[in-house]
Amino acid sequence: MKAALTAALSLSLLATAAAQTSRQSTLVIGGDFSDLITLDPGVSYEFSGSLVTGNLYDTLVAYEGNNLTTLKPRLASSWTVTPTATGSRLTFKLRDAKFSTGRPVTAADVVYSVNRVINLKTPSSFLYTDVANLKVGSVTAPDAKTVVMDIPKTANPNIVLALLTFNIGGVIDSTEAKAHEQGGDYGTAWLKDHSAGSGPFVLNRWDRSAQVALDANPNAFRRSPTIKRVILRYMLESSAQQAAANSGEIDVAMNYTPDAFKAVAAGTKFRTQKADSFLLAYLGMNSAKGMPLEDARVREAVRYAIDQDGIISGLLQGLGRKTQTIIPIGLAGSDPKIYYPYNPEKAKELLKAAGKEGGFSVDFMVSTGSCAGGVPCADLAAKIQADLAKVGIKLNIKQMVNSELLTAYRAQKAPLIQVSWSPDYPDADGNGTPLSDYNAKSLAWRNGWQNAAASKLAQSAAIETDATKRLNLYKQLTALVVKDGPFAILYQPSRPIVIQQSVSGFNQNANGDVQFEKISKK
Amino acid sequence: MLVYIVRRVALMVFVLWGVSLAAFVISHALPADPAAAALGNNAREEQLQEFRVKNGLDRPLVVQYGVYMGNLVRGDLGASLRTQNSITADLRQFFPATFELTLGAVVFAVLIGVPLGIVAALTQGRWPDLLARTFALLGGATPVYWLAILALNVFHEKLGWLPGPGRLDAYSLPPPVKTGLVTIDSLLVGDREVFVDALRHLLLPGLVLGMFSAALLTRMTRSALLEVLGQDYIRTARAKGLTRARVIARHAMRNASLPILTVLGTLFGSLLTGAVLTETIFSWPGIGGYATTSAISLDFPAVMGVTLIAGLAYSVVNLLVDLLYALFDPRISFS
């Protein structure tokens, strides 16, 4: 046994020496990538999918770094928005770019990429069909370098531009995709684990549940000076990530627990980053008739009774920001005002005014897993339970798996629920409509909250093209929802990222994107 | 012998049918909607409905079962609701990793458990026996996840002797998939470096997973051997003037091996399905993680696929153990 161990150890030294050469040009990221289902940019709708496809494919326009308010050119070198009789027309001029296959990126590829998403009815198709109101034929290619997109009055060109930055906007080499079509699937089966984009990386291989390996794309116009290969290793457990980061086996860890993160942030061994997110952890309070939280005063009482600071400092160890309105911090339209300072006395008064002086009890639906920011949902629920108990509201915690929780929520059967939401594209409308317009049949509907004024504000804000007017509409909307709405926002979490000192340029923006080509390693 | 095997296989099919029925009923008794689970928080009602129709979830349960069994008979486990992949393909991908880990665990368990049991039996009541029994007690009582985190922390993080999570070093790309066992695949392409890397990665999770079995084997070997050592024929063998080592190897162990084999068989079966915690902590891309993710996302077909393959593995191992009986003990025959 001892001899075998010694032999294994000495062999290991040989192996390490050989691997040393590739270490500087390989970036290894450890994280929970278990949500990865496909690497087809038109189909992928998950966090990990966006993270990877963002580096395999280019979109027409994009956000750079942490600036998620100013659009930057990507495949389109320039673009114009012109009003038309029926709505507006977006015209994009393409730059000279090449796919990893060596073929030039043409306007026909862009048209193909948009149409395939519409025809495939992927999880994100609704962004094109319902939000941008596009149909097959709305996007045309007058010449190889020009793309024209016609949208009706019911869609806001600024929102359309914003959603083009999402992975569905990724432009695919149409010749390559057509070559791998099977039974009219637009190459979806093949693109699941192959890539045909113009992004800075190409897919080497995806070993499901093990790792995704990307290689630098020599044809790319955005190119990494030093990184030749990026490996995303599946490490679901924070403890595994910690062990691998400490031994230098991974360069970046994405899922430290708040406690572990706090410990390394205080030291000097690693760089740490509290990456912003647009996620909002909130309580959904069912406002339908007959529900315990039907009365708006009771919902206000809940908001006063929750100790947000305690949650952020105690449970999240500072990995979160305090906000109370429905638009996350970082998006134009968010409201930094604190409407409900922690005040249990005020909460009791409101309950009294609502005729619930003696308190009441309500079923509280909570996921068994981990909640936004990596906090166990059960811990968060216990804190909320304790806070509300102080004002006489008794919560009966009902723990269930996430999918079961979601089913109850969708059926409007959750009296009080602890969940989170993240917008699909970085625009206030990504939260504005689902959280306040009952007719959108999304979150306002799930909580049985029907408010005509809110619906109208959300709809006008969605199509308003004048930035100042739009901000004003969101100001009114957020103020209305924070007062009467069915939500108690708990916090906006930050992502704990731990990076080796030898790595520079790693930055994850609030959308969750990381530009791998900007990273270098010493 | 052949008749026996045929009878056992027939019984196996019946058992597996029972397993599939139980899995089907349990998975469909849950009050949650797999469409919601697959499409996530932001999906719209039309999308959900379309998904249900496409995957036949809108049909009556009896019809769904009929379709499922019909496909099953043709060897088709259906498609995963979550990934839309063929489950047969998924299992083919994830099972080898678990099999490799389990095989490693069994090898470690035998290498540690059997010799330790022999030593304990031969030194009954003295300190080596005491040590072995302490090990057996601790090994049997230590939770595997705790041991896994501890082992990772000490041997990987602190001492740096052994690699961390995963089947291979992050910097080396895995060999092309032939059998799915990285050790075998790397040998097939003659990549010695990757082979060594794979073996080293197998060491910690294999030991951790095998620890409970090693402890059990120590106890079993010790008691089986002690029982045999008191028999008349051992005394006879000693009286004939055979060396102590020969008596133990030829006479005692041969007869003590049957109960050990039985334990080993059941262990192998339970390890195959019980690797979930070890796989999670060591980021081992096996069936355990697949089963967990599938269960959490209400991926019924995938869960049933895993259940069936686990049942199949268990049954096959049991059959093999029974057949091995005849090999070890000529008195047993299956005619």
Side-chain angles (χ1 to χ4, degrees):
Chain A
M1 188 65 208
K2 201 175 169 191
L5 198 68
T6 325
L9 286 177
S10 49
L11 278 169
S12 83
L13 290 174
L14 281 175
T16 348
Q20 199 64 50
T21 43
S22 66
R23 288 202 172 221
Q24 265 151 318
S25 57
T26 305
L27 180 81
V28 185
I29 302 172
D32 177 359
F33 305 111
S34 59
D35 63 333
L36 206 56
I37 290 175
T38 171
L39 296 174
D40 182 334
V43 184
S44 155
Y45 194 51
E46 298 73 38
F47 286 114
S48 303
S50 297
L51 175 68
V52 179
T53 55
N55 286 285
L56 298 176
Y57 296 89
D58 283 321
T59 46
L60 289 172
V61 287
Y63 295 109
E64 290 280 337
N66 289 331
N67 183 345
L68 295 172
T69 47
T70 319
L71 282 172
K72 294 281 164 63
R74 183 65 54 90
L75 272 179
S77 51
S78 67
W79 63 94
T80 54
V81 182
T82 43
T84 61
T86 52
S88 35
R89 164 171 287 190
L90 307 176
T91 311
F92 302 90
K93 283 282 172 206
L94 297 188
R95 65 185 291 156
D96 288 319
K98 269 186 180 169
F99 287 114
S100 58
T101 53
R103 296 185 191 96
V105 180
T106 66
D109 293 307
V110 180
V111 175
Y112 174 84
S113 301
V114 174
N115 287 346
R116 83 185 278 275
V117 172
I118 296 174
N119 288 328
L120 276 172
K121 293 192 186 148
T122 70
S124 44
S125 297
F126 77 94
L127 294 175
Y128 279 162
T129 55
D130 298 12
V131 180
N133 294 150
L134 293 179
K135 288 191 287 283
V136 172
S138 304
V139 185
T140 48
D143 63 65
K145 290 283 166 214
T146 314
V147 176
V148 172
M149 199 175 274
D150 280 308
I151 53 171
K153 281 205 175 72
T154 45
N156 184 340
N158 294 322
I159 296 181
V160 175
L161 284 167
L163 64 85
L164 281 176
T165 67
F166 187 58
N167 39 334
I168 47 160
V171 177
I172 298 168
D173 181 343
S174 58
T175 317
E176 196 69 16
K178 281 175 192 158
H180 293 96
E181 248 181 47
Q182 300 164 17
D185 75 342
Y186 294 86
T188 310
W190 186 80
L191 284 168
K192 197 176 221 173
D193 49 11
H194 293 83
S195 70
S198 57
F201 289 86
V202 293
L203 184 65
N204 176 315
R205 59 187 275 175
W206 171 27
D207 296 293
R208 285 187 298 132
S209 291
Q211 61 179 18
V212 185
L214 311 177
D215 287 338
N217 170 14
N219 289 322
F221 64 88
R222 302 187 273 151
R223 227 175 303 163
S224 163
T226 53
I227 300 296
K228 296 269 174 287
R229 178 172 286 169
V230 177
I231 289 172
L232 298 118
R233 297 206 94 184
Y234 283 69
M235 289 185 171
L236 273 59
E237 281 293 299
S238 177
S239 61
Q241 288 183 30
Q242 288 166 38
N246 280 331
S247 69
E249 201 166 319
I250 57 174
D251 299 310
V252 180
M254 301 185 89
N255 304 91
Y256 265 50
T257 54
D259 288 326
F261 183 78
K262 196 180 179 189
V264 294
T268 53
K269 189 168 188 294
F270 299 103
R271 272 179 231 272
T272 53
Q273 211 173 80
K274 285 187 192 177
D276 293 340
S277 79
F278 289 142
L279 214 61
L280 288 180
Y282 69 91
L283 299 183
M285 301 181 275
N286 200 315
S287 321
K289 270 216 163 7
M291 283 288 181
L293 296 156
E294 181 194 341
D295 194 313
R297 287 168 295 192
V298 176
R299 300 198 293 273
E300 278 206 285
V302 169
R303 289 190 275 260
Y304 272 119
I306 289 170
D307 168 25
Q308 274 186 297
D309 296 317
I311 293 172
I312 292 167
S313 63
L315 287 173
L316 290 163
Q317 305 278 358
L319 275 167
R321 290 184 288 179
K322 185 174 173 179
T323 183
Q324 296 188 331
T325 61
I326 57 169
I327 314 284
I329 305 168
L331 289 182
S334 79
D335 183 351
K337 189 172 157 191
I338 296 303
Y339 290 83
Y340 301 94
Y342 178 55
N343 190 344
E345 288 313 312
K346 180 94 183 153
K348 281 185 201 156
E349 278 170 34
L350 281 160
L351 285 175
K352 192 174 172 187
K356 303 233 180 193
E357 199 176 355
F360 63 98
S361 60
V362 57
D363 283 346
F364 183 29
M365 296 187 172
V366 175
S367 168
T368 46
S370 145
C371 275
V375 182
C377 291
D379 293 0
L380 183 58
K383 166 73 177 155
I384 308 275
Q385 189 184 40
D387 281 354
L388 292 187
K390 284 183 194 144
V391 300
I393 303 176
K394 188 176 168 290
L395 301 187
N396 312 317
I397 295 181
K398 299 247 188 282
Q399 263 199 303
M400 47 189 91
V401 292
N402 212 28
S403 43
E404 205 180 331
L405 188 81
L406 214 53
T407 306
Y409 196 23
R410 277 177 198 286
Q412 299 177 300
K413 278 185 190 144
L416 183 66
I417 193 167
Q418 174 181 297
V419 268
S420 58
W421 178 263
S422 147
D424 290 316
Y425 45 95
D427 185 279
D429 182 51
N431 275 23
T433 297
L435 274 84
S436 55
D437 186 359
Y438 184 84
N439 307 315
K441 284 202 104 180
S442 187
L443 302 191
W445 181 83
R446 287 181 203 171
N447 285 298
W449 187 68
Q450 193 165 12
N451 185 309
S455 292
K456 193 160 184 305
L457 277 171
Q459 284 160 14
S460 336
I463 53 169
E464 179 55 62
T465 47
D466 183 293
T468 324
K469 281 186 193 158
R470 194 162 186 243
L471 280 183
N472 185 39
L473 287 170
Y474 277 120
K475 200 172 173 193
Q476 293 174 48
L477 179 66
T478 48
L480 171 64
V481 179
V482 81
K483 191 90 182 115
D484 188 71
F487 311 103
I489 311 289
L490 300 174
Y491 55 87
Q492 185 174 341
S494 313
R495 300 188 183 94
I497 296 174
V498 175
I499 309 161
Q500 301 283 3
Q501 290 289 359
S502 57
V503 176
S504 56
F506 188 98
N507 176 61
Q508 185 166 37
N509 70 20
N511 247 347
D513 304 323
V514 180
Q515 291 182 259
F516 293 155
E517 83 276 12
K518 298 217 163 158
I519 301 168
S520 56
K521 234 177 125 177
K522 277 203 295 277
Chain B
M1 181 84 165
L2 197 68
V3 176
Y4 176 79
I5 295 177
V6 169
R7 229 182 32 230
R8 281 290 299 265
V9 170
L11 189 69
M12 212 153 91
V13 170
F14 185 72
V15 167
L16 287 178
W17 172 75
V19 168
S20 78
L21 183 66
F24 186 87
V25 171
I26 294 170
S27 352
H28 287 78
L30 290 173
D33 179 7
L39 297 179
N41 200 357
N42 298 21
R44 315 193 151 201
E45 196 50 52
E46 310 88 74
Q47 282 176 287
L48 294 175
Q49 194 49 37
E50 199 172 315
F51 183 89
R52 288 186 201 112
V53 172
K54 189 178 154 222
N55 291 285
L57 296 168
D58 56 331
R59 297 155 87 178
L61 215 54
V62 185
V63 177
Q64 286 190 45
Y65 183 69
V67 171
Y68 178 68
M69 281 315 285
N71 289 338
L72 205 58
V73 169
R74 273 177 272 126
D76 178 7
L77 289 171
S80 152
L81 294 179
R82 185 170 60 96
T83 64
Q84 299 288 324
N85 283 336
S86 139
I87 289 166
T88 324
D90 276 356
L91 291 178
R92 204 178 299 137
Q93 190 196 338
F94 294 119
F95 191 74
T98 303
F99 186 71
E100 193 170 36
L101 177 61
T102 306
L103 214 57
V106 168
V107 168
F108 290 132
V110 172
L111 285 182
I112 297 168
V114 174
L116 216 55
I118 295 176
V119 169
L122 295 182
T123 58
Q124 191 190 3
R126 280 179 283 138
W127 66 267
D129 179 33
L130 206 67
L131 274 183
R133 277 158 68 194
T134 312
F135 165 79
L137 200 68
L138 280 180
T142 314
V144 71
Y145 63 88
W146 184 79
L147 200 63
I149 292 173
L150 187 76
L152 206 55
N153 188 279
V154 173
F155 293 105
H156 171 61
E157 224 180 311
K158 292 281 183 312
L159 298 172
W161 289 358
L162 289 167
R167 290 173 90 185
L168 280 178
D169 192 275
Y171 297 92
S172 56
L173 275 184
V177 178
K178 293 213 174 66
T179 61
L181 304 175
V182 181
T183 43
I184 308 284
D185 285 348
S186 54
L187 281 183
L188 284 178
V189 293
D191 195 336
R192 219 186 57 126
E193 214 172 275
V194 172
F195 173 72
V196 172
D197 191 28
L199 270 192
R200 295 182 65 240
H201 273 84
L202 199 55
L203 216 55
L204 270 190
L207 276 171
V208 165
L209 184 61
M211 201 48 84
F212 177 79
S213 311
L216 200 60
L217 274 179
T218 307
R219 274 216 300 266
M220 277 311 292
T221 310
R222 180 179 178 273
S223 65
L225 200 57
L226 277 179
E227 201 183 312
V228 170
L229 281 176
Q231 303 281 333
D232 287 346
Y233 67 87
I234 298 291
R235 223 173 305 140
T236 313
R238 293 288 290 276
K240 278 197 300 188
L242 290 182
T243 60
R244 190 177 156 86
R246 203 168 161 77
V247 170
I248 289 159
R250 285 297 300 264
H251 296 268
M253 266 318 280
R254 183 119 183 210
N255 283 299
S257 58
L258 273 195
I260 297 170
L261 190 67
T262 316
V263 173
L264 203 59
T266 23
L267 274 181
F268 193 79
S270 63
L271 282 180
L272 263 182
T273 49
V276 177
L277 286 173
T278 317
E279 284 185 3
T280 313
I281 292 167
F282 281 96
S283 306
W284 199 265
I287 210 108
Y290 182 68
T292 318
T293 334
S294 303
I296 288 172
S297 48
L298 298 180
D299 194 343
F300 301 153
V303 171
M304 287 187 283
V306 173
T307 314
L308 274 183
I309 191 127
L312 185 70
Y314 205 88
S315 313
V316 168
V317 169
N318 262 323
L319 178 62
L320 285 180
V321 167
D322 286 351
L323 293 178
L324 279 177
Y325 264 41
L327 210 72
F328 276 77
D329 190 342
R331 285 171 304 177
I332 299 172
S333 75
F334 295 116
S335 48

